[in-house]
Amino acid sequence: MAEKSPDFDGAAGRRCPAATSAERMQACASDVSKWVRLNVGGTYFLTTRQTLCRDPKSFLYRLCQADPDLDSDKDETGAYLIDRDPTYFGPVLNYLRHGKLVLNRGLAEEGVLEEAEFYNITSLIKLVKDKIRERDCKTAQLPVKHVYRVLQCQEEELTQMVSTMSDGWKFEQLVSIGSSYNYGNEDQAEFLCVVSKELHNQSYGTNSEPSEKAKILQEQGSRM
């Protein structure tokens, strides 16, 4: 009776270290091919091909397909080089991941729109434009708020008062309150000067800090 070779045993073959190693290498190569490394304006992003291929008409889809008509240089690490703003690429990439537009504080919808148009992500372009229209509509419906200051000055100080008016401050009313003292043979008249300034974007929590010139005006008004 001929002896059975161990290599002929199917179970033993499956337990062969060489076969297991090959399978692992194949699986590893398959996993690596799913991931894409991007160098956007000097910042690295790691994501999957599936994420980048959400929109088949987009620049990123063509990048993953190795489109021969697309100039897709790589850096020394093998990452695709994209000369765009990485700050606004983050929201674009996250949108491709979960379908929602999430903006960190300080980022504007217009910045995301600029990137969405560059990458030609049509659904994101429509979403951002809708949000911009909604935001502008709410802003237009808000009543304009003003802050008022009453400043006391003498006649000879009016010219200086006008020259220091800036930062959105404007005259509302000038009221004479009579003469304060005599200078030579002439009376020096005194006035109350009412000035105002519009407050913008109060609904978004942005406080308008007065400039140095505005602070001077406030200090003059407090001496009344």
Side-chain angles (χ1 to χ4, degrees):
M1 181 182 294
E3 295 182 359
K4 183 185 293 185
S5 172
D7 294 337
F8 186 76
D9 190 338
R14 285 194 296 271
R15 294 189 181 91
C16 177
T20 303
S21 176
E23 290 175 357
R24 289 179 178 176
M25 289 177 64
Q26 183 178 1
C28 180
S30 176
D31 290 340
V32 169
S33 66
K34 295 179 181 179
W35 292 93
V36 180
R37 186 177 173 87
L38 305 173
N39 181 344
V40 183
T43 301
Y44 287 95
F45 294 86
L46 186 64
T47 187
T48 63
R49 293 184 182 274
Q50 182 181 4
T51 296
L52 297 179
C53 292
R54 297 289 186 190
D55 188 337
K57 296 181 180 180
S58 71
F59 166 89
L60 297 172
Y61 178 89
R62 295 173 58 196
L63 190 70
C64 291
Q65 302 303 314
D67 189 333
D69 296 329
L70 187 66
D71 186 11
S72 53
D73 293 334
K74 295 183 179 181
D75 64 10
E76 63 278 2
T77 68
Y80 287 103
L81 285 166
I82 303 177
D83 186 20
R84 301 296 293 182
D85 186 352
T87 303
Y88 283 98
F89 181 73
V92 172
L93 182 58
N94 284 331
Y95 172 79
L96 293 175
R97 285 167 171 158
H98 48 61
K100 297 180 181 179
L101 176 60
V102 180
L103 291 180
N104 293 331
R105 187 174 183 179
L107 296 185
E109 287 88 351
E110 287 80 0
V112 179
L113 178 60
E114 190 74 22
E115 298 308 300
E117 290 178 339
F118 172 80
Y119 295 111
N120 195 33
I121 304 174
T122 54
S123 58
L124 180 56
I125 292 172
K126 181 180 182 303
L127 176 60
V128 178
K129 285 184 175 180
D130 289 343
K131 286 187 173 294
I132 291 176
R133 280 193 294 266
E134 181 181 352
R135 180 203 65 191
D136 292 345
C137 183
K138 288 182 179 179
T139 303
Q141 294 175 353
L142 291 175
V144 178
K145 296 181 180 181
H146 293 80
V147 58
Y148 291 88
R149 302 292 180 192
V150 179
L151 313 175
Q152 184 176 359
C153 63
Q154 298 169 358
E155 184 177 5
E156 61 183 9
E157 297 173 334
L158 284 176
T159 302
Q160 180 183 2
M161 182 76 69
V162 172
S163 64
T164 57
M165 280 305 227
S166 62
D167 305 317
W169 291 95
K170 64 178 182 179
F171 283 106
E172 292 290 345
Q173 190 175 5
L174 188 65
V175 180
S176 175
I177 57 175
S179 301
S180 59
Y181 64 92
N182 292 331
Y183 181 78
N185 295 326
E186 298 180 358
D187 292 336
Q188 293 295 312
E190 283 194 320
F191 298 91
L192 293 180
C193 180
V194 182
V195 297
S196 70
K197 180 180 182 180
E198 291 186 3
L199 297 180
H200 299 285
N201 300 325
Q202 293 302 301
S203 61
Y204 296 97
T206 56
N207 296 324
S208 178
E209 292 294 334
S211 67
E212 291 301 321
K213 291 181 179 179
K215 290 177 181 179
I216 292 174
L217 294 176
Q218 294 177 18
E219 291 175 357
Q220 291 176 348
S222 66
R223 291 200 292 265
M224 289 181 54

